Structure formats: C-alpha cells, structure tokens
Amino acid sequence: LSLLHVFSCFSAAGFCSAVCVEVPSETEAVQGTPMKLLCISCMKREEVTASTVVEWFYRPEGGKDEPIYEYRKTNHEFPSRFSGRLQWNGSKDMQDVSITVLNVTLNDSGIYTCNITREFEFEIHRPLFTSSRLIHLTVVEEAGEDFTSVISEIMMYILLVFLTLWLLIEMVYCYRKVSKAEEAAQENATDYLAIPSENKENCAVPVEE
C-alpha cells in the first residue's frame, strides 16, 4: 500500500496549516486497472498567489515525448493513445498535479514526464520556477506478490518454528526435573526401608521411670 498524497493538519491556538510531502509515484501497474501517476510539487505557499501550468508527456520505448495532458487554468487532453482514459487528480492548491490512466494496457508502459511551471505573484517581482518528474511505468498482466509480504510470511513461519522448539525444550526440561525429583524421593524411601529393625528400635528415645 503506497502513500499517494500526505496532507496533515496541526491545530495549535486556533491555527491550522497543511503540510505537503513529495512522494514518488508507483512504477508498476496491472493491465486493466487504473493507475495514478503521482506528481507533487510543494513549492507553492498558501499566502502567496501563484499561477501554475502543468504539462504531461509520454514517451514509449525508443520513441519521442508526445504531449498527452495539460493544465493551464483549465484541463486539456491531447489526442493520443490515451484519449478518453486520462483523469485529472490534482488538488485545489495545485501542489498535487497528478493524473490517472484508466484501464491501462501493456502498450502504456514507458516514461511519463510531469513538467510544472509556477509563477509567483509578489508585489515587486514575479519569479518563475520550473520542476520536472519522471515516472518509468511498467504494465504487467497480473499482479505479483509483494516482496514485503513474502518476507513477513517467512518471518512468521520462522517465529512459529522457534516458539514450537522452545515449547518442546521447556516440556523436556520440566519432565526431566519432575523425574529426578521422583527418583530422589524413591531413593530416600528405599534407604529408610533398608535400615534394620533393631537399628530402628535403637533410634527410639528411652523413657525414664
């Protein structure tokens, strides 16, 4: 399970602010499922007005970049192999400018580029900043088993084996301890019975008249 976009709200003295975290996109998709291409840029601040332009490109293996999607105040989808299968998933503050490819196919494997151009509107000047994200996407026919889950299962089996062995060792130890206690009790009883009867009489305390 991956993090797509983390926004946390901290309240202190009636004050609340959003925290943006730049998280890389997943790079593997399963054929026939939707795939969110994550693109986050945390340069924008709430108190500063800024205009943002987002451009998405796709490059197949051995091919050239071709525009597939653009945000410039309004959303625009370019004619391409993705026509009708692209969905805007950006946030209102334009820090998350992700898109989703619906019903991905094996032919959708390739390199996706997210270009972000942000112009800040200060009173004195209007600085311009650009950033770019590359996503190397691979589309597979079936979902493979997650490596982390495999490791977790192996560790679980190892723990079960260890606990079983530890329980057996404890049982054997307790059994031997009880057996030795019983043997010692039997030896004491045998030694007492082996004392001659006359010695037993001598052991009696004489009573003076």
Side-chain angles (χ1 to χ4, degrees), residues 33-65:
T33 63
M35 175 62 187
K36 184 174 182 178
L37 302 175
L38 193 63
C39 183
I40 298 177
S41 176
C42 298
M43 294 181 62
K44 185 179 181 300
R45 297 176 60 89
E46 292 184 356
E47 65 271 18
V48 180
T49 304
S51 58
T52 304
V53 175
V54 182
E55 298 172 309
W56 278 94
F57 295 88
Y58 167 74
R59 182 169 76 244
E61 184 177 356
K64 298 181 179 180
D65 285 335

Side-chain angles (χ1 to χ4, degrees), residues 2-183:
S2 63
L3 294 175
L4 298 181
H5 191 195
V6 182
F7 283 104
S8 302
C9 184
F10 299 93
S11 297
F15 162 80
C16 183
S17 62
V19 177
C20 176
V21 179
E22 296 187 6
V23 182
S25 176
E26 293 186 357
T27 57
E28 184 176 284
V30 180
Q31 181 181 10
T33 63
M35 175 62 187
K36 184 174 182 178
L37 302 175
L38 193 63
C39 183
I40 298 177
S41 176
C42 298
M43 294 181 62
K44 185 179 181 300
R45 297 176 60 89
E46 292 184 356
E47 65 271 18
V48 180
T49 304
S51 58
T52 304
V53 175
V54 182
E55 298 172 309
W56 278 94
F57 295 88
Y58 167 74
R59 182 169 76 244
E61 184 177 356
K64 298 181 179 180
D65 285 335
E66 56 183 78
I68 59 174
Y69 204 89
E70 180 183 76
Y71 178 89
R72 195 185 298 266
K73 293 185 179 181
T74 58
N75 301 327
H76 175 67
E77 182 179 342
F78 292 94
S80 67
R81 69 178 69 190
F82 302 99
S83 295
R85 293 194 296 127
L86 296 180
Q87 186 178 73
W88 174 255
N89 282 139
S91 58
K92 292 182 178 180
D93 60 8
M94 296 304 294
Q95 295 193 95
D96 183 351
V97 292
S98 308
I99 61 173
T100 295
V101 182
L102 304 175
N103 191 25
V104 296
T105 67
L106 296 177
N107 293 330
D108 293 339
S109 296
I111 300 176
Y112 295 80
T113 304
C114 170
N115 291 333
I116 306 170
T117 303
R118 205 184 303 275
E119 183 179 10
F120 292 91
E121 300 175 3
F122 293 100
E123 294 182 359
I124 302 176
H125 61 296
R126 300 170 68 93
L128 191 68
F129 296 93
T130 60
S131 60
S132 182
R133 307 283 188 274
L134 292 179
I135 303 173
H136 296 258
L137 182 66
T138 301
V139 181
V140 297
E141 294 182 358
E142 297 180 356
E145 192 168 6
D146 186 22
F147 179 74
T148 303
S149 62
V150 173
I151 295 297
S152 300
E153 291 180 4
I154 293 175
M155 295 300 295
M156 181 183 66
Y157 289 129
I158 293 176
L159 181 60
L160 289 176
V161 172
F162 173 77
L163 292 176
T164 303
L165 292 176
W166 177 79
L167 181 60
L168 290 174
I169 293 173
E170 285 293 320
M171 291 176 63
V172 171
Y173 172 77
C174 293
Y175 175 77
R176 289 183 176 179
K177 190 173 182 180
V178 172
S179 298
K180 289 182 179 180
E182 291 179 351
E183 291 176 358

